[in-house]
Amino acid sequence: MSYSYEEQKKTLQEIHQTLIENDFLKKCQIGFGTFLGAYRQKKLNTSLNDWDDLDFEILSDNFDEFKINVLSKLISKGFYLIHAHLVKTGEIGSLTVGKGKDRIDFQIIFQNKNDKCYHFLWHGGVEMVKGLPRSYYEDIKKYELEWLTFYGPREAESYLKDMYGENWRVPCKSENEYKFWEDDPGIPWKFKYKHYKLIKDKKLEELLNVGK
């Protein structure tokens, strides 16, 4: 998928405004490659390439509020549902929406009784779970991205090292260079097991209880 840097900035601005209007900015922090761009160059990664999408992270405890107060507003502004991945327990682990040609991933972060938070990704029919410090989602601060203010982990470089390895400062030259499904770069996956359930269209609308 090829993205336009200028169009993606407009999409980012719309999301930012919606988060502000609904008092949800602190509960929907930038993550993954979007946080990498904010910390490394204060710009989206599409300022360097044409293939990186937008990534946000939401604690599972806040997801219902997101659906009611934020997702419904985004849909009213022309955003549309693409698909969701369900984790093995049946809960949504990742929700993908679109605006024009842009793709936005909202990763759901699950908290446990220990000191870890968990995020899920999928590749080749395998569900992968990575455990990260709770501080990445509880001890957060403001960051500038495209002249807008978002929130992200205070321990920025530790987060980026855990996600992308020691060479996180060096931009990838192609979309396929970062093989997220492998145990390196970044910290290894805690669990890997056969599970893949993707829902979309009417089933997704019904699960989220939102319209198109």
Side-chain angles (χ1 to χ4, degrees), residues 88-104:
K88 203 170 184 179
T89 59
E91 299 169 272
I92 292 178
S94 176
L95 173 66
T96 300
V97 305
K99 179 67 186 288
K101 293 183 178 180
D102 288 325
R103 167 179 161 145
I104 308 98

Side-chain angles (χ1 to χ4, degrees), residues 23-41:
D23 194 25
F24 206 78
L25 187 67
K26 264 186 119 170
K27 298 177 184 177
C28 189
Q29 64 189 64
I30 49 175
F32 295 83
T34 301
F35 181 72
L36 172 62
Y39 189 77
R40 186 174 59 192
Q41 69 258 1

Side-chain angles (χ1 to χ4, degrees), residues 110-118 131-134 187:
F110 293 85
Q111 300 153 288
N112 207 324
K113 293 179 180 179
N114 59 25
D115 292 331
K116 297 291 184 182
C117 284
Y118 297 93
L132 297 168
R134 291 175 71 100
I187 60 174

Side-chain angles (χ1 to χ4, degrees), residues 132-201:
L132 297 168
R134 291 175 71 100
S135 58
Y136 291 170
Y137 306 100
E138 295 178 347
D139 184 15
I140 59 178
K141 60 172 283 190
K142 293 178 181 179
Y143 291 92
E144 181 184 297
L145 175 61
E146 301 294 352
W147 304 101
L148 301 170
T149 298
F150 289 94
Y151 284 86
R154 186 178 302 276
E155 302 169 87
E157 296 194 6
S158 294
Y159 172 89
L160 293 171
K161 181 181 174 182
D162 284 349
M163 285 290 192
Y164 299 109
E166 296 283 355
N167 295 324
W168 60 266
R169 292 177 179 83
V170 181
C172 290
K173 295 179 181 178
S174 75
E175 185 175 6
N176 298 321
E177 185 177 336
Y178 173 56
K179 297 179 173 61
F180 67 86
W181 56 90
E182 296 182 353
D183 281 339
D184 185 54
I187 60 174
W189 294 97
K190 186 173 181 63
F191 303 110
K192 289 183 179 182
Y193 43 81
K194 284 285 184 182
H195 175 76
Y196 184 82
K197 188 168 184 181
L198 185 80
I199 60 169
K200 54 185 179 179
D201 301 329

